[in-house]
Amino acid sequence: MADKYEKVLELAKRRGFLWNSFELYGGTAGFYDYGPLGAMLKRRVENIWRDIFVINEGYYEIESPTIGIEDIFIASGHVGGFSDPLTECQECHEAFRADHLIQDITDNPDTLSADEVSGLIKSNNIICPECKGALGDVYEFNLMFKTNIGPGGKRAGYLRPETAQGMFVDFPRLVKFYRDHLPFGATQIGKTYRNEISPRQGVIRLREFTQAEAEIFIDPRVKTHPGFSEVSDIKLTLFSQEGQDTGKSEIITLGEAVQKGTIAHEFLAYCIARTHQYLLRVGISPDKLRFRQHMKDEMAHYAADCWDAEILSDRFGWVETVGIADRTDYDLKAHARQSETELTVYVPYDKPKTVTRLAVKPDMGVLGPRFKGKAGKIVSALKDLKLKDLTGDFIELTIEDEKIRIEKELVDVGSVTEEIHGENIVPHVIEPSFGIDRIIYSLLEHAYFEEEVEVEGKKEPRIVLRLPPEVAPVQAAVLPLLTKEELIKPAREITESLRKKGILTAYDDSGTIGRRYRRNDEIGTPYSITIDYQTLDDCTVTIRDRDTMKQVRAPLEGIAGNIYDLLYSGSFREWC
RNA sequence: GCACCGAUGGUCUAGCGGCUAUGACUUGAGCCUUCCAAGCUCAAAACCCGGGUUCAAAUCCCGGUCGGUGCACCA
């Protein structure tokens, strides 16, 4: 029996939304083409994301290479941690995580090489937990695609497994672009690559897919959001850690969720709100959407809190589509360490702080000539000393295993009072990360309806994609009622005027009018404009609404502007 | 990566060693037609790939690819 997944994919394939890539050559798992309608749909879904996060939130978009150099992924942990050591049973061919099997034998299995793990399995006689068979050699499976940069294979490169690193790596430039002010954010929409072991489920798990990510850098001490009051009344379904323990999700306002501490702070809750609004706007059904909190053991150790937007799919159940995490300062610190560059923002205090501190001023006129090359080290060692170490007749230091005594008189010790106007801090990162392809599949599934239409007493089947007009690839269809030159001519003119307005318009004069309506219903075209003989008399046309199949007569004058308004603001009902 | 199941026009499908490979829908050209796929004429379009068995393979066998399912994996 065909389930919804099958029906949606069949339609998507047949009408040019989604195609298996490389089909001519037999295809390859994990790659999909967006056909003519799919690509347009995807563009529109991405543009709504831009509208929300780039235009309205002000998180400018950047574009970094899809290939990254090795340092980036050493810092991010993908080189070391984005792979799993696997071993297979020779008897029953079950695959196991090798590091899990030797957990009790060694303290830190993650630090061992595949060969070392193989050795441990052999020397400890570890056998298949399922059937007690012998285990095969351990092999590393890294989910990143590796390549070489330039000839000679000297420089390793990797296809990026997420777009996020691009924003982290550009952090120093971004700080300057935003003129040293927190919070600020950068976004990126682009292709990402993971060499999945077993990609399946259509477009749900791909080897090349599209992410839309925002990295928002905030002051770790200020996790409130100035716009929170605008969204605090939004009600949504939360599936918290507690809820998961008891198996219950709850519908609650964001204000309440923050107050109760369910969501860690306002800023995260604000991002959840925008995500919620975004998903509804592109066509996700509100009753098939929930936000699930990561369980403690599921969350990365550095994350303060993390919520996934999950969308209910007919076949796959709840599919994780968006991750919204407070990643704290983990990423910036990791890149600071790897690049040996300070990645901080100078944050001024509201009022300068007056600080009294110890000032140690060595007499370099004497110490310099006396210690020559070591003088520099001695000075910095002196400055690190506490007051009690400086009070004796001699000051004692150990520099490179050598004991050094310095007469008290040579070091002037006093206290200095100075004003400090601010400090360098490592921002925390809030990361909403969207899987665009999963969203596309979900909205297609939620928009897909099969219904019976009654026509002159007979029931006719109808397939209709109830896409929000804003994302529908084809936005209007112009249809002369009959294939007659006198109707075709004005129809062509109307088509032109709609296209000039930027509306993607299909013109169709083949077959009966009913068939053409059905064709357009199936791809989600929101409005069809029909030209009949009355048009020639009184300059009016009919506009048909996809969802209700209702028609209104409307003046030809200003038709393009009216359709535009219908698509982007009004609803059909209000309009007629 | 392992195991099981499957693969025939764009889509769904018949076939079960022997044909010019069913049928429907769809699509294209035209006729007809004053608003919701069903009239008429004509046309286009398929056996996943490679090997083997056989006089003969879409059909049987082996391998691969792709799809589905289960296991494992999914920061």
Side-chain angles (χ1 to χ4, degrees):
Chain A
M1 202 179 54
D3 65 1
K4 219 165 172 194
Y5 168 82
E6 248 168 276
K7 289 173 175 178
V8 169
L9 237 65
E10 189 272 314
L11 171 66
K13 201 191 280 183
R14 188 162 45 79
R15 296 306 307 271
F17 285 91
L18 292 169
W19 293 327
N20 268 309
S21 294
F22 326 126
E23 224 175 6
L24 182 61
Y25 291 101
T28 299
F31 298 94
Y32 264 84
D33 284 11
Y34 284 87
L37 297 183
M40 198 67 231
L41 170 66
K42 182 163 178 262
R43 225 66 322 144
R44 298 199 198 283
V45 164
E46 289 169 358
N47 280 338
I48 294 175
W49 197 90
R50 284 191 176 93
D51 183 47
I52 292 176
F53 289 95
V54 181
I55 296 178
N56 280 289
E57 295 303 320
Y59 306 140
Y60 280 77
E61 189 176 357
I62 66 166
E63 187 173 314
S64 59
T66 55
I67 292 181
I69 58 170
E70 192 157 38
D71 275 331
I72 294 173
F73 302 115
I74 291 173
S76 71
H78 286 102
V79 168
F82 203 52
S83 64
D84 297 310
L86 297 180
T87 178
E88 265 172 46
C89 171
Q90 309 292 82
E91 303 289 324
C92 69
H93 299 293
E94 199 77 31
F96 299 97
R97 286 281 296 272
D99 52 339
H100 291 176
L101 294 175
I102 56 164
Q103 250 164 5
D104 301 334
I105 295 160
T106 176
D107 288 338
N108 41 3
D110 293 348
T111 59
L112 301 176
S113 72
D115 286 346
E116 287 169 324
V117 177
S118 283
L120 274 176
I121 285 177
K122 290 221 169 63
S123 62
N124 287 279
N125 290 319
I126 294 176
I127 49 170
C128 171
E130 293 286 323
C131 75
K132 319 280 180 225
L135 292 168
D137 282 342
V138 174
Y139 55 93
E140 280 288 330
F141 192 84
N142 191 297
L143 261 29
M144 283 196 294
F145 286 100
K146 194 171 186 176
T147 186
N148 295 309
I149 299 170
K154 289 231 176 72
R155 196 135 200 233
Y158 297 89
L159 295 189
R160 62 182 179 194
E162 58 176 21
T163 60
Q165 299 307 324
M167 277 80 87
F168 296 134
V169 168
D170 280 344
F171 178 80
R173 290 287 184 190
L174 288 167
V175 173
K176 291 299 159 203
F177 175 83
Y178 285 103
R179 301 204 312 274
D180 304 286
H181 281 297
L182 286 177
F184 66 82
T187 59
Q188 196 161 192
I189 301 178
K191 288 295 187 95
T192 307
Y193 304 83
R194 298 178 190 185
N195 202 0
E196 295 288 348
I197 298 172
S198 163
R200 277 178 199 179
Q201 309 170 325
V203 104
I204 302 290
R205 177 177 296 169
L206 294 169
R207 289 190 165 121
E208 173 176 323
F209 58 102
T210 299
Q211 279 188 320
E213 292 192 297
E215 305 302 327
I216 308 161
F217 300 97
I218 65 172
D219 186 327
R221 297 159 304 188
V222 187
K223 294 194 172 178
T224 54
H225 193 289
F228 187 67
S229 61
E230 281 172 44
V231 300
S232 61
D233 288 338
I234 293 177
K235 274 194 173 170
L236 33 72
T237 309
L238 292 188
F239 198 31
S240 63
Q241 289 173 356
E242 242 174 62
Q244 288 167 70
D245 285 335
T246 58
K248 274 185 206 148
S249 55
E250 55 177 342
I251 297 172
I252 183 176
T253 67
L254 282 167
E256 226 180 311
V258 171
Q259 205 171 15
K260 280 170 47 181
T262 310
I263 300 175
H265 50 77
E266 274 186 13
F267 210 104
L268 206 60
Y270 182 85
C271 291
I272 289 174
R274 288 293 178 232
T275 300
H276 183 253
Q277 290 170 328
Y278 168 72
L279 292 173
L280 297 192
R281 190 164 150 198
V282 299
I284 300 301
S285 311
D287 55 327
K288 292 180 180 170
L289 172 61
R290 74 177 183 194
F291 288 84
R292 188 183 70 83
Q293 189 171 33
H294 277 207
M295 298 302 279
K296 285 260 153 54
D297 58 349
E298 179 183 5
M299 221 180 306
H301 64 274
Y302 48 81
D305 195 7
C306 184
W307 291 79
D308 284 343
E310 296 186 327
I311 300 178
L312 188 60
S313 135
D314 204 53
R315 182 186 285 197
F316 308 118
W318 291 99
V319 176
E320 127 187 23
T321 336
V322 183
I324 305 159
D326 180 343
R327 299 178 58 88
T328 67
D329 55 13
Y330 177 82
D331 304 276
L332 287 177
K333 278 190 171 160
H335 281 291
R337 209 178 306 123
Q338 182 71 18
S339 64
E340 298 178 343
T341 306
E342 199 184 353
L343 298 177
T344 58
V345 179
Y346 179 78
V347 179
Y349 298 135
D350 293 341
K351 278 185 200 152
K353 280 185 187 167
T354 308
V355 177
T356 306
R357 64 172 179 85
L358 202 61
V360 177
K361 210 177 164 199
D363 184 346
M364 292 314 285
V366 177
L367 295 179
R370 191 195 288 177
F371 294 106
K372 303 212 166 64
K374 277 185 194 151
K377 282 184 179 154
I378 289 170
V379 172
S380 57
L382 282 170
K383 290 192 171 169
D384 287 341
L385 292 175
K386 299 266 164 20
L387 185 61
K388 66 177 169 59
D389 301 318
L390 295 162
T391 45
D393 289 342
F394 291 95
I395 299 163
E396 303 208 338
L397 292 170
T398 307
I399 304 291
E400 289 166 356
D401 294 332
E402 187 186 340
K403 284 223 166 17
I404 289 170
R405 298 181 101 200
I406 296 167
E407 299 83 342
K408 185 185 178 183
E409 298 75 40
L410 294 176
V411 181
D412 181 29
V413 178
S415 70
V416 191
T417 300
E418 56 185 19
E419 286 200 328
I420 300 177
H421 295 264
E423 64 183 293
N424 289 320
I425 60 162
V426 181
H428 279 196
V429 171
I430 309 298
E431 180 192 78
S433 170
F434 291 64
I436 296 294
D437 312 84
R438 289 182 173 189
I439 292 171
I440 301 266
Y441 170 74
S442 304
L443 71 89
L444 283 174
E445 197 188 285
H446 293 188
Y448 183 94
F449 288 89
E450 276 174 6
E451 20 177 79
E452 298 238 296
V453 181
E454 207 165 304
V455 181
E456 291 164 9
K458 284 176 287 182
K459 297 226 164 149
E460 305 277 358
R462 163 170 111 122
I463 295 174
V464 55
L465 278 190
R466 294 192 205 281
L467 298 170
E470 209 184 351
V471 302
V474 176
Q475 299 172 295
V478 176
L479 317 168
L481 186 61
L482 301 173
T483 325
K484 295 286 183 199
E485 191 50 38
E486 58 268 34
L487 299 181
I488 289 174
K489 198 162 165 277
R492 293 244 182 240
E493 281 167 17
I494 294 167
T495 306
E496 274 312 296
S497 75
L498 289 168
R499 287 177 178 167
K500 285 229 166 65
K501 189 85 187 170
I503 298 167
L504 202 154
T505 309
Y507 169 86
D508 189 354
D509 62 13
S510 76
T512 66
I513 189 70
R515 181 186 296 281
R516 284 177 279 164
Y517 285 148
R518 291 290 191 277
R519 261 205 289 257
N520 278 293
D521 287 343
E522 205 177 48
I523 61 167
T525 310
Y527 301 107
S528 298
I529 297 159
T530 307
I531 291 85
D532 56 15
Y533 281 102
Q534 194 183 329
T535 309
L536 305 181
D537 293 336
D538 65 2
C539 286
T540 60
V541 293
T542 62
I543 300 176
R544 171 190 180 267
D545 176 58
R546 174 198 68 200
D547 295 339
T548 60
M549 303 185 5
K550 295 241 168 67
Q551 286 176 300
V552 291
R553 273 212 98 81
L556 204 46
E557 177 87 27
I559 185 79
N562 285 332
I563 294 289
Y564 187 92
D565 291 345
L566 273 177
L567 287 167
Y568 291 105
S569 42
S571 88
F572 187 73
R573 204 158 302 166
E574 283 164 29
W575 191 69
C576 52

